Amino acid sequence: MTGKGCFVTDAINLKAYSLSESDKIMVLYSRDKGLMRCVAKGVKKPKSKLGARMDLFVANKLMLREGRNMSTISQAEALNTFYRTRSDMDKIFYSMYISEVVSNFGVEDDPCSASVYDILYEALDAVSKAESKIKILNTVLKFQLKIMRVSGFSLELDKCLICGKPIVNEKMFFSSKLGGVVCNICNENYGLHAIMHYKLRDYLSVLANTEFDETSEYEEKATEKLCNVCFEILKFYVENHSSKRLKSTAILQEVS
Ligand SMILES: [Zn+2]
């Protein structure tokens, strides 16, 4: 805290709305207070001090002044603009997807805000530094698995969700609703249709436990097709638990 009614926090810009001729409302995810809406005064003026720091996906150290309804940004110092993302359509679209998921799952005054912020920051950073489409996709998969875990929707990939027995190299089914895998025997009564191949399950399981700055052996051997199948499974899972429909996935479908 710095003085009465002022506070400092690291935050990433997720969305912006026009408020007036010169002002914008920013939707941010902050490390200390979770999801926030605040006013960026004068940001649309050509000589604004805030200017490009209020662009989408920029991470800033912000100084804010508390207001009755919304805080106002009084100073911003860019921490990372993720500049390599800005000239690459794939990177832009997947960064939009990541931002949209965080704005849907993020809550105000979230006690887990530091963990969510770090996942968001590291995911945007890894997307921006990725040297291939596969690297981008693997980053997004790690993001989906990690954000669901921190939001309390961890996927069960090792044991049958009904009988609890470990599932190894055998037939299994996947349930987005239950949040994981069901063994072949239990499924005789349960009746799921989505078969999950054990290699696909193993891949997701490895990614869930790999950091953004690590590359597992599995990832090096992965094909774009495998990554896309995993993305679709997790995208559906994320959407199933999201309060709002995700708009960016519709755009992703159009471009891929
Ligand atoms: Zn079972």
Side-chain angles (χ1 to χ4, degrees), residues 9-26:
T9 186
D10 292 357
I12 294 173
N13 305 331
L14 303 176
K15 271 191 244 176
Y17 301 102
S18 188
L19 179 65
S20 67
E21 217 170 286
S22 55
D23 308 340
K24 277 185 190 174
I25 291 180
M26 303 297 303

Side-chain angles (χ1 to χ4, degrees), residues 159-167 181-187:
K159 295 189 219 119
C160 169
L161 280 164
I162 295 172
C163 69
K165 283 195 193 131
I167 309 177
V181 289
V182 171
C183 77
N184 197 22
I185 300 166
C186 290
N187 197 49

